[in-house]
Amino acid sequence: MITYRPVTPKEQSLLQSYGNRADNWEEIFITDETTLSLIQNCRFYGRVRIGALQFSMRKYPHNPEGISSSVLSNCVIGDHCSISQVHLLSDYTVGSHVTLFNIGEMTADADDISPLTVINENGGRGVVPFPGMTVGEAYLWARYRGRGRFMEKLSEFARKELKEGLGLIGDGCVIRNTEALRNVLVGSAVDNPTLITDCVSLVDGIIEQGCWIESGTIAHRFVLGEHVHLAFGLRLNDTVVGANSTLCRCEVGHSMIFPAHEQHHNNSFLIAALVMGQSNVAAGATIGSNHNGRTADNELHAGRGFWPGLCCSLKHSSRFTSYTLLAKGDFPAELNITLPFSLVNNNPQKNQLEVMPAYWWMYNMYSLKRNNTKFAARDKRVLKTQHIEFDILAPDTVEEIITARHLLREWTSEAYLRSRNEGTAVKVMGHGMEHSKRPTVILKAAEGYQAYEEMLIHYSMSLLRKSYADALPPASLGEGEREAHWENIGGQIISKPDIEQLISDTEKGVINSWGDLHDRLNQLWQAYPEAKLRHAYKVLCLITGNKTIDSEQWANLLLRHAKIEEFIQQQIAATRQKDDTNPFRQMMYQDQAESDAVLK
């Protein structure tokens, strides 16, 4: 706690001799550790409080402590800061060890905090940002709009959190060569600071610790989780961005993006979308603005692992299950892809949509397994307030696979009946996946169905063997019905009954603040491993058609899992070998030594 005191008449004279001016010197406060000679050529308006200053050169960046050539109005400055050439710093609380250099404007207004019109451009899913908001909490607010009392309570919680406005720069932050920051809150962490630099303009935003915002970024009305990187001319508005995400050289608006999202190419365009993380938007993708309604109120919802390929153009409204890979193409109608881990292709020559289920498992195992580890490895967060499931196979994606197998059985049965009646070849057709009259053809339906079963066994056996090795798991895990409804809440996977209980407790006042809601989400995360274990056991029961697993079935499952593990390793090696033996890749190098040095 910093203890400020008014300047004495003698100290006032000294400050004036160093070129400083104030409209009322009685409103200027310092500490006993404030070296006055380090405050030079400044203008003070209203109440200004300045912490300790000493003759010291900061290690990073290389700026000396002190306040110079700046205009300060109604500010609180922490200890050991370096503030220079800030044209206007108004209504901000600045933490300790902060660097502010060459900034046009930093202003805040507690009564001028705009809601974020996320996911839908018409504002019907608007959320009010507040300090500490996670993308999961923003999702609950935006998604459950039909629960009026729940919405009222969340608004009430936010008003309590926003009573002091957003004008805050946390400890250790570095902001330099920047145009403007208006109503921006930057999280506090000396050992995990945020860097804002090089022609940046930020308005109405909340920035958690460890972010890096640079090189012409323009962002209005936004929330950033920990370790988000914005750069190279990004235009961002009305968007919540989850932790460990990168957005560069593109336009993103009215969206909600869960953690571990990558979008760093020119012409990438993401508007009015919900993207559930672990995703990658390739160059030239056009996702948004292409509304099929009379007004701009359509949406796109994509499960985690969403990957639209180069130059994809999509229509709103569309929905995609987890780990959907879109081949390059201009998709002419709205899509509802219900087969996870699939490859989706627009075939204009045959005038049909083509979907290959379980494509990742069958043909891109290396990428699938890499995704399973890279997101966790890249997680550099310190606070980790947003809980994240990094495993590609979890209750949410597994339930999508179970639904997909049911659909494939139905569609395959229809195809055989049709072929017998018409005397034609069996051609499996999907239903409800494109809003058009042209056919949707399911490629390799039988292989995809089998791959899905392997994925279910791999999910269940990996979890159970981790807890019980090769011993038969207790039959008690099979008690009760399998929970088939799970939802991705900002990266945290929660069962539908638990979400309904959370909403109900909020409506009744059992949960009565954002802190209480944080605590409930923490409790659910602590209980999640056991819930996932029970779910895995019941998935095996579904596959075997039994309520419990006996010793003989367990032995068979162990053998099948061993074969699946062997298949995974073979596929990983085969996938990588395609790169290593590609002559067009190797022709770039004079010899193997150069190739090894470059590709190590």
Side-chain angles (χ1 to χ4, degrees):
M1 185 73 177
I2 302 174
T3 302
Y4 298 94
R5 61 168 178 79
V7 296
T8 65
K10 182 178 180 180
E11 290 168 335
Q12 174 185 331
S13 297
L14 274 173
L15 286 168
Q16 288 175 321
S17 72
Y18 298 135
N20 301 294
R21 299 292 183 268
D23 65 340
N24 183 359
W25 283 103
E26 293 181 358
E27 291 293 302
I28 309 304
F29 295 78
I30 60 173
T31 74
D32 292 338
E33 288 76 37
T34 305
T35 303
L36 299 184
S37 62
L38 296 178
I39 305 173
Q40 298 185 8
N41 301 316
C42 292
R43 300 292 183 269
F44 301 115
Y45 298 92
R47 174 166 292 195
V48 177
R49 286 169 279 187
I50 301 172
L53 295 171
Q54 63 185 23
F55 289 96
S56 175
M57 179 67 75
R58 303 168 63 82
K59 291 182 179 179
Y60 178 81
H62 300 293
N63 294 73
E65 288 186 24
I67 304 175
S68 64
S69 304
S70 299
V71 177
L72 282 68
S73 172
N74 295 313
C75 294
V76 178
I77 310 299
D79 291 336
H80 308 296
C81 290
S82 175
I83 300 176
S84 178
Q85 299 180 44
V86 179
H87 296 178
L88 177 59
L89 178 60
S90 176
D91 296 291
Y92 263 85
T93 296
V94 178
S96 297
H97 304 278
V98 169
T99 296
L100 306 177
F101 173 73
N102 190 25
I103 299 171
E105 173 190 347
M106 290 181 62
T107 58
D109 184 350
D111 298 322
D112 184 26
I113 299 172
S114 303
L116 313 182
T117 56
V118 295
I119 304 177
N120 195 307
E121 291 181 75
N122 72 354
R125 297 190 187 276
V127 302
V128 177
F130 63 87
M133 171 187 274
T134 66
V135 65
E137 290 157 351
Y139 171 82
L140 288 170
W141 196 344
R143 193 79 169 100
Y144 286 88
R145 306 304 288 196
R147 304 293 289 268
R149 180 57 180 159
F150 184 52
M151 294 297 102
E152 291 174 8
K153 293 293 288 186
L154 297 187
S155 297
E156 177 186 318
F157 298 167
R159 284 195 298 271
K160 291 178 183 178
E161 299 290 335
L162 283 168
K163 59 189 176 203
E164 295 184 1
L166 293 180
L168 174 66
I169 305 299
D171 296 345
C173 293
V174 177
I175 305 174
R176 60 189 185 187
N177 302 323
T178 293
E179 295 180 6
L181 279 79
R182 304 186 189 98
N183 276 351
V184 175
L185 183 150
V186 184
S188 175
V190 173
D191 57 348
N192 188 30
T194 285
L195 172 64
I196 302 172
T197 185
D198 299 337
C199 300
V200 168
S201 176
L202 307 176
V203 178
D204 294 342
I206 295 174
I207 304 168
E208 292 296 342
Q209 59 179 269
C211 292
W212 183 11
I213 306 172
E214 61 169 336
S215 303
T217 294
I218 299 174
H220 289 202
R221 299 178 301 278
F222 61 94
V223 175
L224 307 183
E226 280 191 76
H227 282 278
V228 171
H229 184 197
L230 310 181
F232 307 128
L234 167 72
R235 289 88 68 207
L236 178 76
N237 72 282
D238 293 281
T239 296
V240 179
V241 184
N244 305 322
S245 295
T246 299
L247 295 169
C248 301
R249 307 180 185 90
C250 57
E251 179 180 351
V252 178
H254 305 282
S255 295
M256 184 172 292
I257 300 171
F258 287 6
H261 175 80
E262 297 290 328
Q263 185 172 345
H264 37 74
H265 298 286
N266 285 323
N267 303 317
S268 296
F269 185 72
L270 182 67
I271 307 295
L274 168 66
V275 182
M276 293 188 168
Q278 299 169 22
S279 39
N280 193 314
V281 176
T286 304
I287 303 170
S289 86
N290 202 355
H291 296 282
N292 268 5
R294 299 296 180 266
T295 58
D297 59 359
N298 301 111
E299 303 175 3
L300 181 141
H301 294 188
R304 57 194 181 104
F306 181 56
W307 196 319
L310 291 169
C311 300
C312 279
S313 176
L314 300 174
K315 293 284 182 69
H316 282 40
S317 296
S318 289
R319 185 173 61 182
F320 302 90
T321 49
S322 299
Y323 284 89
T324 296
L325 175 62
L326 299 174
K328 177 180 178 179
D330 182 5
F331 291 85
E334 302 98 317
L335 298 172
N336 180 25
I337 303 304
T338 50
L339 304 178
F341 299 93
S342 61
L343 172 65
V344 181
N345 178 55
N346 175 44
N347 190 331
Q349 287 76 27
K350 295 183 178 180
N351 192 31
Q352 64 187 30
L353 182 72
E354 299 171 346
V355 182
M356 185 185 297
Y359 165 82
W360 291 76
W361 184 264
M362 294 189 293
Y363 297 109
N364 201 7
M365 185 67 77
Y366 175 81
S367 293
L368 198 61
K369 296 300 290 184
R370 181 171 177 264
N371 284 352
N372 219 29
T373 57
K374 73 177 182 181
F375 297 119
R378 293 175 182 176
D379 187 8
K380 306 302 181 184
R381 296 174 299 153
V382 174
L383 296 179
K384 297 188 178 182
T385 52
Q386 174 63 61
H387 302 301
I388 305 171
E389 170 64 88
F390 290 112
D391 202 316
I392 58 170
L393 292 176
D396 60 330
T397 54
V398 164
E399 288 298 331
E400 289 178 345
I401 289 173
I402 291 171
T403 299
R405 277 166 56 86
H406 176 73
L407 292 173
L408 288 176
R409 282 196 300 269
E410 284 189 354
W411 296 340
T412 303
S413 297
E414 291 176 4
Y416 275 107
L417 287 173
R418 187 170 55 250
S419 68
R420 289 179 61 184
N421 293 335
E422 299 176 359
T424 58
V426 176
K427 190 175 185 180
V428 181
M429 314 293 287
H431 303 304
M433 286 202 279
E434 184 178 65
H435 190 198
S436 74
K437 294 182 179 179
R438 68 176 187 164
T440 296
V441 178
I442 307 301
L443 305 176
K444 297 184 180 293
E447 293 90 335
Y449 185 86
Q450 178 61 32
Y452 279 150
E453 182 169 304
E454 292 172 355
M455 295 172 79
L456 294 179
I457 293 173
H458 180 61
Y459 158 76
S460 297
M461 294 299 292
S462 295
L463 284 173
L464 293 168
R465 294 182 73 181
K466 185 176 181 181
S467 295
Y468 300 102
D470 289 345
L472 178 66
S476 59
L477 290 175
E479 294 174 356
E481 296 297 319
R482 185 186 93 255
E483 179 51 59
H485 302 285
W486 299 77
E487 194 164 352
N488 185 350
I489 308 295
Q492 180 175 356
I493 311 303
I494 305 177
S495 70
K496 191 68 172 179
D498 284 334
I499 295 171
E500 287 296 329
Q501 188 64 54
L502 180 152
I503 293 173
S504 176
D505 287 346
T506 303
E507 292 170 336
K508 294 174 182 176
V510 176
I511 294 175
N512 205 32
S513 67
W514 283 114
D516 291 345
L517 200 148
H518 279 312
D519 291 342
R520 175 62 62 84
L521 293 173
N522 289 339
Q523 292 166 14
L524 293 173
W525 182 249
Q526 293 300 318
Y528 177 61
E530 177 65 23
K532 189 161 58 168
L533 201 63
R534 291 182 175 276
H535 181 260
Y537 186 91
K538 292 171 184 174
V539 168
L540 289 182
C541 292
L542 176 69
I543 293 172
T544 59
N546 297 284
K547 291 187 177 180
T548 58
I549 306 297
D550 60 29
S551 299
E552 183 179 352
Q553 291 166 338
W554 181 249
N556 290 333
L557 287 167
L558 286 172
L559 289 174
R560 287 198 66 182
H561 188 232
K563 292 180 180 179
I564 291 170
E565 288 287 318
E566 183 180 354
F567 167 76
I568 290 172
Q569 296 306 316
Q570 290 173 348
Q571 288 297 103
I572 291 173
T575 305
R576 284 298 292 159
Q577 190 177 27
K578 291 178 184 178
D579 289 338
D580 296 338
T581 59
N582 183 346
F584 285 85
R585 188 177 191 232
Q586 291 302 319
M587 71 183 180
M588 300 296 122
Y589 310 104
Q590 301 177 72
D591 50 35
Q592 190 62 41
E594 182 186 359
S595 176
D596 292 342
V598 172
L599 301 177
K600 62 181 178 181

